[in-house]
Amino acid sequence: MKNQPDRIDSKEITVALLGNPNVGKTSIFNSLTGSRQVVANWPGVTVEKRAGVMRHHNHTIDVVDLPGTYTLGATSLDEKIARDFLVNEKPGVAIVIGDAVNLERSLYLLLQVLELRGDVVLVVNAVDEARKAGFEIDKNELSKQLGIPVVVTSAVTGEGIEELKNTLVKSTKSSSHVHYLFSDEVEAHLRDLSERIKGNPSLAGFDERWLSIKLLEKDYEVQKITGITLDYDFSVEIAETRYKYIKRILSTSVKGKEKIGWNFSEAIDHVMTHRFLGILIFLAVMYIVFQLTFTISGPLSIVIEELLGGLGRAFGGFIGVDWLRSLVVEGIIGGVGAVLVFVPNIFILFLALGILEETGYLPRAAFVIDRLMYSMKLSGRSFMSMLLGFGCNVSSIMSTRSISEPKERIVTILVSPFISCSAKLPVYVLIAGTFFGARAGVVIFFLYVLSIVITVLSALLINKLFFKGEPSTLIMELPRYRKPRLSSLILYTWNKGRHFLEKAGTIILGASVVIWFLSYFPSEGTGSFAAMIGKSLEPLFIPLGYTWEMITSLVFGIAAKEVIVSSLTTFFGNLSVSGSSLGAIRTLITPEIALSFLVFVLLYVPCMPTLAVIKNETGSYKYVFFSVFYSLTVAYTVALIVRVVGGFL
């Protein structure tokens, strides 16, 4: 490492941020770099590293935010990314973020980092919450015990951020390597292994003590690197030694943490995570969210619809050529506008989910549902990835990288598309509003519950048929309840919702033009290319009662689910969200067929970006083909049941 007294070149110095999930790591990253990042509240969200630049006085330092992890093992992709970065990239300083209220687990990660390298800074975050809980962190004592710089911070109040920046600058100019001792037997093995490793020139770039510890812990990756496999395992003894060391440190550096009775979070959790009551609360919360989403957004959607209608009439008045007027008014403004009308629904839904996440409720929902899933011999950890699917199936599938068991990960990837993503919401609102009026909120709630049921049953079926075995145990830390911050909610809502706007300006715009072309040529209506596509598939959908317009919209919806709305708008004219001009579609299908259609949209083939991610994450086209075939089968079967049963009601 090269040290320069006046300025540190950003290309030469990199700072790595590590920490357990939910310790405020992303908030510290934002405070250091000024970047705008989303703060997540459960493991698995921060899968890929993020980079930013910290400028402090005349220093410029690159800061890399690594995935949240509890250990430096290599059993999950999160752990492997963090460890590989420390081992291979060799950042100038490693910052380990700890939670002041639950410091023990954070120190366990810290000790593993200290076994690997020397330049480490411990940041004890959420110190304001520790004070509220009635105890103090003695950072000087912690620093003395650990032999590294310690800074206490609060990501909420900004306390300690400037001190952390100053410490980082100083830490890049110094180096120390902290070792602590295991038992005599373990230390003897470590010395022997270190000598063997020293004799291997190909391992010269590694710390031999760290490699030796990992060998005693039966680390498979290190066994491959060193070519050494031991027939004994000291992983339990090593872990116990670390925890004993941690308890000794905390006994002198944390004051006033004598627990008396339940705290606020524990008392609330007794109700929220109750075996039966917790599920009822979860269903009630989700019902309120979807009911409010539909109710509040209705007037806003009507305003947008009227504005777009006025825009269409204004442009239409200036264009004399029939086909060009039709393209602009019906194809572009009508197609894209039909999707933009639902912007309020999308943003209100994400705002509601953001509140649930910020307050710490969503991880509890995962915990409650996990009990149900595990009783059916399903994995609980996968549910945390599935929860992300309410926003977007692509991010849901990518978050499965935190699942260490390969079979469990494949199953989760294959069933995640059944979770109802936000792209399907416009279709729900449009059709449910048209056919079910004041009960539209109930219908949408039914669809979301159905998506969870089908996801769980599919995971059970696929596990039984192809991946027999016991599910892995879910280990998750429930974050403390927190008052949501307005700035975080705005960032969360915007970061999630903007993708909807980006799609409206790209995929949906392009698809709207294509749909208009196919529906206008060679002649409008039943003589169009679009009609030919739908009618060619019509025999397959006779039991479901779908018209060729609905079938064609389903075909186009494979590109992106929002395109279904654009397609229906093009085929049936201006479908008002207020339900005032929906005579065309109402005369063609019945309410049970409409509900069946919604179920089909919920369950059928994932969109193209999701299929691409399935290929990337599984590395095989066979899972893509399986996903397409299986989802079509499930969609057709369940939609047919809904139509038949609905016909008797």
Side-chain angles (χ1 to χ4, degrees), residues 494-534:
W494 172 246
N495 284 331
K496 296 283 186 182
R498 71 177 180 183
H499 297 299
F500 187 78
L501 295 174
E502 289 169 356
K503 275 205 287 187
T506 53
I507 297 175
I508 296 169
L509 174 60
S512 297
V513 173
V514 171
I515 292 166
W516 172 85
F517 178 84
L518 294 175
S519 63
Y520 196 83
F521 295 103
S523 61
E524 287 187 85
T526 55
S528 66
F529 292 122
M532 295 176 194
I533 294 172

Short mmCIF file of all heavy atoms in Angstrom, two decimals, residues 494-534:
data_model
loop_
_atom_site.label_atom_id
_atom_site.label_comp_id
_atom_site.label_asym_id
_atom_site.label_seq_id
_atom_site.Cartn_x
_atom_site.Cartn_y
_atom_site.Cartn_z
N TRP A 494 -39.78 5.94 -4.96
CA TRP A 494 -39.30 6.40 -6.27
C TRP A 494 -38.42 5.35 -6.94
O TRP A 494 -38.58 5.05 -8.13
CB TRP A 494 -38.53 7.71 -6.10
CG TRP A 494 -37.84 8.13 -7.38
CD1 TRP A 494 -36.51 8.22 -7.61
CD2 TRP A 494 -38.48 8.50 -8.61
NE1 TRP A 494 -36.27 8.61 -8.89
CE2 TRP A 494 -37.46 8.79 -9.54
CE3 TRP A 494 -39.80 8.60 -9.03
CZ2 TRP A 494 -37.72 9.18 -10.85
CZ3 TRP A 494 -40.08 8.98 -10.35
CH2 TRP A 494 -39.04 9.27 -11.23
N ASN A 495 -37.49 4.76 -6.18
CA ASN A 495 -36.60 3.76 -6.77
C ASN A 495 -37.36 2.55 -7.28
O ASN A 495 -36.98 1.96 -8.29
CB ASN A 495 -35.55 3.31 -5.73
CG ASN A 495 -34.47 4.35 -5.53
OD1 ASN A 495 -34.16 5.11 -6.45
ND2 ASN A 495 -33.92 4.41 -4.34
N LYS A 496 -38.40 2.17 -6.57
CA LYS A 496 -39.20 1.03 -7.02
C LYS A 496 -40.12 1.42 -8.17
O LYS A 496 -40.27 0.69 -9.15
CB LYS A 496 -40.04 0.49 -5.86
CG LYS A 496 -39.23 -0.07 -4.70
CD LYS A 496 -38.69 -1.43 -5.00
CE LYS A 496 -38.01 -2.03 -3.79
NZ LYS A 496 -37.41 -3.34 -4.06
N GLY A 497 -40.77 2.57 -8.05
CA GLY A 497 -41.80 2.96 -9.01
C GLY A 497 -41.26 3.49 -10.32
O GLY A 497 -41.93 3.39 -11.35
N ARG A 498 -40.05 4.02 -10.30
CA ARG A 498 -39.53 4.63 -11.53
C ARG A 498 -39.34 3.61 -12.64
O ARG A 498 -39.39 3.96 -13.84
CB ARG A 498 -38.21 5.34 -11.25
CG ARG A 498 -37.05 4.41 -10.97
CD ARG A 498 -35.76 5.16 -10.78
NE ARG A 498 -34.67 4.25 -10.52
CZ ARG A 498 -33.43 4.66 -10.27
NH1 ARG A 498 -33.15 5.94 -10.23
NH2 ARG A 498 -32.49 3.76 -10.04
N HIS A 499 -39.13 2.35 -12.28
CA HIS A 499 -38.97 1.32 -13.31
C HIS A 499 -40.25 1.18 -14.13
O HIS A 499 -40.21 0.85 -15.30
CB HIS A 499 -38.60 -0.01 -12.66
CG HIS A 499 -37.28 0.02 -11.96
ND1 HIS A 499 -36.10 0.28 -12.62
CD2 HIS A 499 -36.95 -0.16 -10.67
CE1 HIS A 499 -35.10 0.25 -11.76
NE2 HIS A 499 -35.60 0.00 -10.56
N PHE A 500 -41.38 1.43 -13.47
CA PHE A 500 -42.66 1.39 -14.17
C PHE A 500 -42.70 2.50 -15.23
O PHE A 500 -43.11 2.27 -16.37
CB PHE A 500 -43.78 1.58 -13.14
CG PHE A 500 -45.16 1.41 -13.70
CD1 PHE A 500 -45.66 0.14 -13.94
CD2 PHE A 500 -45.94 2.51 -13.97
CE1 PHE A 500 -46.93 -0.02 -14.45
CE2 PHE A 500 -47.21 2.35 -14.48
CZ PHE A 500 -47.71 1.09 -14.72
N LEU A 501 -42.23 3.69 -14.87
CA LEU A 501 -42.20 4.80 -15.82
C LEU A 501 -41.20 4.53 -16.93
O LEU A 501 -41.44 4.86 -18.10
CB LEU A 501 -41.84 6.10 -15.09
CG LEU A 501 -42.87 6.60 -14.06
CD1 LEU A 501 -42.32 7.82 -13.32
CD2 LEU A 501 -44.19 6.94 -14.74
N GLU A 502 -40.05 3.94 -16.56
CA GLU A 502 -39.04 3.63 -17.58
C GLU A 502 -39.57 2.62 -18.59
O GLU A 502 -39.32 2.73 -19.78
CB GLU A 502 -37.78 3.09 -16.89
CG GLU A 502 -37.02 4.15 -16.12
CD GLU A 502 -35.93 3.57 -15.23
OE1 GLU A 502 -35.82 2.32 -15.16
OE2 GLU A 502 -35.20 4.34 -14.61
N LYS A 503 -40.32 1.65 -18.08
CA LYS A 503 -40.90 0.66 -19.00
C LYS A 503 -41.94 1.31 -19.91
O LYS A 503 -42.06 0.95 -21.08
CB LYS A 503 -41.52 -0.49 -18.21
CG LYS A 503 -40.53 -1.56 -17.82
CD LYS A 503 -41.18 -2.89 -17.61
CE LYS A 503 -41.97 -2.96 -16.35
NZ LYS A 503 -42.47 -4.33 -16.06
N ALA A 504 -42.70 2.27 -19.35
CA ALA A 504 -43.71 2.95 -20.16
C ALA A 504 -43.06 3.70 -21.31
O ALA A 504 -43.65 3.82 -22.39
CB ALA A 504 -44.52 3.91 -19.29
N GLY A 505 -41.85 4.21 -21.08
CA GLY A 505 -41.17 4.98 -22.11
C GLY A 505 -40.35 4.13 -23.06
O GLY A 505 -39.82 4.66 -24.04
N THR A 506 -40.21 2.85 -22.80
CA THR A 506 -39.37 2.01 -23.66
C THR A 506 -40.16 0.80 -24.18
O THR A 506 -40.67 0.83 -25.30
CB THR A 506 -38.14 1.52 -22.85
OG1 THR A 506 -38.60 0.89 -21.64
CG2 THR A 506 -37.22 2.67 -22.50
N ILE A 507 -40.25 -0.23 -23.36
CA ILE A 507 -40.88 -1.48 -23.81
C ILE A 507 -42.33 -1.26 -24.20
O ILE A 507 -42.78 -1.69 -25.27
CB ILE A 507 -40.80 -2.54 -22.68
CG1 ILE A 507 -39.34 -2.89 -22.38
CG2 ILE A 507 -41.56 -3.80 -23.08
CD1 ILE A 507 -39.17 -3.82 -21.20
N ILE A 508 -43.07 -0.55 -23.33
CA ILE A 508 -44.50 -0.40 -23.57
C ILE A 508 -44.76 0.52 -24.77
O ILE A 508 -45.67 0.29 -25.57
CB ILE A 508 -45.20 0.13 -22.30
CG1 ILE A 508 -45.07 -0.94 -21.20
CG2 ILE A 508 -46.65 0.46 -22.55
CD1 ILE A 508 -45.47 -0.46 -19.83
N LEU A 509 -43.93 1.56 -24.92
CA LEU A 509 -44.07 2.44 -26.08
C LEU A 509 -43.84 1.65 -27.37
O LEU A 509 -44.63 1.75 -28.32
CB LEU A 509 -43.06 3.60 -25.98
CG LEU A 509 -43.00 4.53 -27.19
CD1 LEU A 509 -44.35 5.20 -27.43
CD2 LEU A 509 -41.92 5.60 -27.00
N GLY A 510 -42.75 0.89 -27.40
CA GLY A 510 -42.46 0.08 -28.59
C GLY A 510 -43.54 -0.94 -28.84
O GLY A 510 -43.99 -1.12 -30.00
N ALA A 511 -44.00 -1.59 -27.79
CA ALA A 511 -45.04 -2.61 -27.95
C ALA A 511 -46.34 -1.98 -28.43
O ALA A 511 -47.06 -2.58 -29.24
CB ALA A 511 -45.26 -3.32 -26.62
N SER A 512 -46.65 -0.77 -27.94
CA SER A 512 -47.89 -0.10 -28.35
C SER A 512 -47.90 0.18 -29.85
O SER A 512 -48.93 0.03 -30.52
CB SER A 512 -48.06 1.21 -27.56
OG SER A 512 -48.19 0.95 -26.19
N VAL A 513 -46.75 0.59 -30.37
CA VAL A 513 -46.65 0.86 -31.80
C VAL A 513 -46.83 -0.44 -32.60
O VAL A 513 -47.55 -0.47 -33.62
CB VAL A 513 -45.29 1.52 -32.14
CG1 VAL A 513 -45.12 1.66 -33.65
CG2 VAL A 513 -45.18 2.88 -31.46
N VAL A 514 -46.17 -1.50 -32.13
CA VAL A 514 -46.29 -2.80 -32.81
C VAL A 514 -47.73 -3.28 -32.77
O VAL A 514 -48.29 -3.75 -33.78
CB VAL A 514 -45.35 -3.83 -32.15
CG1 VAL A 514 -45.63 -5.23 -32.72
CG2 VAL A 514 -43.90 -3.45 -32.38
N ILE A 515 -48.36 -3.15 -31.60
CA ILE A 515 -49.75 -3.60 -31.46
C ILE A 515 -50.67 -2.80 -32.39
O ILE A 515 -51.55 -3.36 -33.04
CB ILE A 515 -50.21 -3.45 -29.99
CG1 ILE A 515 -49.44 -4.44 -29.11
CG2 ILE A 515 -51.71 -3.69 -29.86
CD1 ILE A 515 -49.57 -4.15 -27.63
N TRP A 516 -50.42 -1.48 -32.43
CA TRP A 516 -51.25 -0.66 -33.31
C TRP A 516 -51.10 -1.12 -34.76
O TRP A 516 -52.09 -1.28 -35.48
CB TRP A 516 -50.84 0.82 -33.21
CG TRP A 516 -51.53 1.65 -34.25
CD1 TRP A 516 -52.78 2.21 -34.17
CD2 TRP A 516 -51.03 1.97 -35.56
NE1 TRP A 516 -53.09 2.86 -35.34
CE2 TRP A 516 -52.04 2.72 -36.22
CE3 TRP A 516 -49.85 1.69 -36.23
CZ2 TRP A 516 -51.88 3.20 -37.50
CZ3 TRP A 516 -49.69 2.15 -37.53
CH2 TRP A 516 -50.70 2.91 -38.15
N PHE A 517 -49.84 -1.38 -35.18
CA PHE A 517 -49.59 -1.81 -36.56
C PHE A 517 -50.34 -3.11 -36.85
O PHE A 517 -51.00 -3.25 -37.88
CB PHE A 517 -48.08 -2.00 -36.78
CG PHE A 517 -47.72 -2.48 -38.15
CD1 PHE A 517 -47.58 -1.58 -39.20
CD2 PHE A 517 -47.55 -3.83 -38.40
CE1 PHE A 517 -47.27 -2.04 -40.48
CE2 PHE A 517 -47.24 -4.29 -39.68
CZ PHE A 517 -47.09 -3.38 -40.72
N LEU A 518 -50.22 -4.05 -35.93
CA LEU A 518 -50.85 -5.36 -36.14
C LEU A 518 -52.37 -5.29 -36.10
O LEU A 518 -53.05 -6.12 -36.70
CB LEU A 518 -50.35 -6.35 -35.06
CG LEU A 518 -48.87 -6.72 -35.13
CD1 LEU A 518 -48.48 -7.60 -33.95
CD2 LEU A 518 -48.53 -7.42 -36.44
N SER A 519 -52.90 -4.30 -35.39
CA SER A 519 -54.35 -4.19 -35.30
C SER A 519 -54.93 -3.28 -36.40
O SER A 519 -56.14 -3.24 -36.59
CB SER A 519 -54.76 -3.65 -33.92
OG SER A 519 -54.23 -2.36 -33.75
N TYR A 520 -54.08 -2.53 -37.12
CA TYR A 520 -54.55 -1.58 -38.14
C TYR A 520 -54.42 -2.15 -39.56
O TYR A 520 -55.16 -1.81 -40.46
CB TYR A 520 -53.73 -0.29 -38.04
CG TYR A 520 -54.33 0.89 -38.76
CD1 TYR A 520 -55.32 1.67 -38.16
CD2 TYR A 520 -53.92 1.22 -40.05
CE1 TYR A 520 -55.88 2.75 -38.82
CE2 TYR A 520 -54.47 2.30 -40.73
CZ TYR A 520 -55.45 3.07 -40.11
OH TYR A 520 -56.00 4.13 -40.77
N PHE A 521 -53.45 -3.04 -39.74
CA PHE A 521 -53.16 -3.60 -41.07
C PHE A 521 -53.43 -5.10 -41.09
O PHE A 521 -53.31 -5.77 -40.05
CB PHE A 521 -51.69 -3.32 -41.46
CG PHE A 521 -51.37 -1.88 -41.63
CD1 PHE A 521 -50.69 -1.19 -40.63
CD2 PHE A 521 -51.75 -1.20 -42.79
CE1 PHE A 521 -50.38 0.15 -40.79
CE2 PHE A 521 -51.44 0.15 -42.94
CZ PHE A 521 -50.76 0.83 -41.93
N PRO A 522 -53.74 -5.73 -42.16
CA PRO A 522 -54.06 -5.07 -43.45
C PRO A 522 -55.37 -4.31 -43.39
O PRO A 522 -55.60 -3.42 -44.21
CB PRO A 522 -54.13 -6.24 -44.43
CG PRO A 522 -54.42 -7.43 -43.60
CD PRO A 522 -53.79 -7.19 -42.28
N SER A 523 -56.24 -4.62 -42.45
CA SER A 523 -57.44 -3.79 -42.27
C SER A 523 -57.83 -3.85 -40.80
O SER A 523 -57.54 -4.84 -40.10
CB SER A 523 -58.60 -4.31 -43.14
OG SER A 523 -58.94 -5.64 -42.76
N GLU A 524 -58.48 -2.81 -40.32
CA GLU A 524 -58.82 -2.73 -38.90
C GLU A 524 -59.83 -3.79 -38.49
O GLU A 524 -60.56 -4.33 -39.31
CB GLU A 524 -59.40 -1.35 -38.58
CG GLU A 524 -58.39 -0.24 -38.55
CD GLU A 524 -58.99 1.07 -38.05
OE1 GLU A 524 -59.04 1.26 -36.82
OE2 GLU A 524 -59.41 1.88 -38.89
N GLY A 525 -59.84 -4.11 -37.22
CA GLY A 525 -60.86 -5.03 -36.68
C GLY A 525 -60.52 -6.48 -36.93
O GLY A 525 -59.38 -6.91 -36.80
N THR A 526 -61.53 -7.23 -37.36
CA THR A 526 -61.36 -8.69 -37.49
C THR A 526 -60.45 -9.09 -38.64
O THR A 526 -60.07 -10.25 -38.75
CB THR A 526 -62.73 -9.34 -37.68
OG1 THR A 526 -63.37 -8.73 -38.81
CG2 THR A 526 -63.59 -9.18 -36.43
N GLY A 527 -60.11 -8.13 -39.49
CA GLY A 527 -59.20 -8.44 -40.62
C GLY A 527 -57.75 -8.13 -40.33
O GLY A 527 -56.90 -8.22 -41.21
N SER A 528 -57.44 -7.73 -39.14
CA SER A 528 -56.06 -7.32 -38.80
C SER A 528 -55.18 -8.52 -38.50
O SER A 528 -55.66 -9.63 -38.24
CB SER A 528 -56.09 -6.37 -37.61
OG SER A 528 -56.53 -7.06 -36.46
N PHE A 529 -53.85 -8.26 -38.52
CA PHE A 529 -52.90 -9.31 -38.14
C PHE A 529 -53.14 -9.76 -36.69
O PHE A 529 -53.02 -10.93 -36.37
CB PHE A 529 -51.46 -8.80 -38.28
CG PHE A 529 -51.04 -8.56 -39.71
CD1 PHE A 529 -50.59 -7.30 -40.11
CD2 PHE A 529 -51.09 -9.58 -40.65
CE1 PHE A 529 -50.21 -7.08 -41.42
CE2 PHE A 529 -50.70 -9.36 -41.96
CZ PHE A 529 -50.28 -8.10 -42.36
N ALA A 530 -53.46 -8.80 -35.83
CA ALA A 530 -53.69 -9.13 -34.43
C ALA A 530 -54.86 -10.09 -34.28
O ALA A 530 -54.82 -11.04 -33.49
CB ALA A 530 -53.96 -7.85 -33.62
N ALA A 531 -55.91 -9.85 -35.06
CA ALA A 531 -57.07 -10.74 -35.01
C ALA A 531 -56.69 -12.13 -35.50
O ALA A 531 -57.17 -13.14 -34.96
CB ALA A 531 -58.20 -10.17 -35.86
N MET A 532 -55.83 -12.17 -36.54
CA MET A 532 -55.40 -13.48 -37.06
C MET A 532 -54.67 -14.27 -35.98
O MET A 532 -54.85 -15.49 -35.84
CB MET A 532 -54.48 -13.28 -38.27
CG MET A 532 -55.15 -12.65 -39.47
SD MET A 532 -53.97 -12.36 -40.81
CE MET A 532 -54.93 -11.25 -41.87
N ILE A 533 -53.81 -13.57 -35.20
CA ILE A 533 -53.06 -14.24 -34.13
C ILE A 533 -54.02 -14.80 -33.09
O ILE A 533 -53.95 -15.96 -32.70
CB ILE A 533 -52.07 -13.26 -33.47
CG1 ILE A 533 -50.99 -12.84 -34.46
CG2 ILE A 533 -51.43 -13.88 -32.22
CD1 ILE A 533 -50.08 -11.72 -33.95
N GLY A 534 -54.95 -13.93 -32.64
CA GLY A 534 -55.88 -14.36 -31.61
C GLY A 534 -56.80 -15.47 -32.08
O GLY A 534 -57.03 -16.45 -31.35
#
